[in-house]
Each structure stands twice: as C-alpha cells, then as structure tokens.
Amino acid sequence: QAQLVESGGGLVQAGGSLRLSCTASGSRFSDRDMAWYRQGSGNQRELVASITNRGATNYAGSVKGRFTISRDNAKNMVYLQMDSLKPEDTATYYCNRLPPFDAWGQGTQVTVSS
C-alpha cells in the first residue's frame, strides 16, 4: 500500500480559493486512478473528484464547475484546486485511489466561513 500525505487546507472566507496537494508513495503511481474525498462533521466520507490514469476527470455535482482535479505523475502528486468555496465545503479532505485502496492519510482540514 502507498502512503498518502495531504496538505494545503486552511481557513478561508466564502468565495475564496484553496489548492490541496497529495503526495503518494510507491511505484506505478501513473497507473492508478486517483480521487479526492471529504468528510464533514457527522457525515460519511464522500467522493469529491476523480482522475483516471489517462487524465479523465469526474466531479460530484456539488463541486462541478468550482473544483479542478489534476495530477503530476513525475512527482507522484494529485491536486485539487477549489474555487468559489462555500461554507458547505467545510470538511476534512483526503486523497486515495478510486476506489479507495490505500490506508487513509491524516487528511487536510478545509474550513469555509460565511
């Protein structure tokens, strides 16, 4: 299993932006379909965005048009650009394969104030 380390979260006002980063250890990263997930307080973890090994992307309806997922296979990294943030985007964000396979990292907290 790969080790996953997320970063880039923080406190931002509604309408602001953040860019999350995820570093994945291990070989053959470029073969993996990857995704960002989030878990808000009292909620189940949900899929936010995914990117295939060929770069095809997909988004949850609640973030489509506001979030952009990307990857850099040379650096074993996945990114999530989050624009026009809303208070309901407040959650801990995690990366993992699609479907999840590796042990979950510590996540990165995103808090959006109104």
Side-chain angles (χ1 to χ4, degrees):
Q1 286 192 340
Q3 182 178 5
L4 304 168
V5 179
E6 301 91 351
S7 63
L11 173 63
V12 64
Q13 288 188 333
S17 298
L18 285 173
R19 188 191 193 213
L20 307 185
S21 299
C22 168
T23 300
S25 67
S27 59
R28 305 180 66 89
F29 173 81
S30 60
D31 292 342
R32 308 173 198 167
D33 295 342
M34 296 295 296
W36 283 95
Y37 303 82
R38 69 185 179 187
Q39 186 169 19
S41 178
N43 297 329
Q44 289 189 333
R45 191 170 289 162
E46 64 175 348
L47 175 64
V48 175
S50 63
I51 184 166
T52 70
N53 59 353
R54 295 188 177 186
T57 59
N58 199 20
Y59 299 91
S62 60
V63 307
K64 191 172 295 185
R66 301 187 297 120
F67 290 10
T68 304
I69 188 172
S70 60
R71 65 191 297 162
D72 185 336
N73 290 333
K75 296 181 179 179
N76 279 25
M77 295 195 71
V78 183
Y79 305 98
L80 186 68
Q81 177 67 42
M82 305 187 297
D83 299 317
S84 301
L85 282 161
K86 303 177 180 180
E88 50 264 43
D89 296 319
T90 294
T92 302
Y93 285 71
Y94 304 86
C95 68
N96 209 314
R97 303 192 204 194
L98 178 72
F101 177 82
D102 302 300
W104 294 97
Q106 84 287 352
T108 187
Q109 176 67 38
V110 172
T111 303
V112 184
S113 63
S114 57

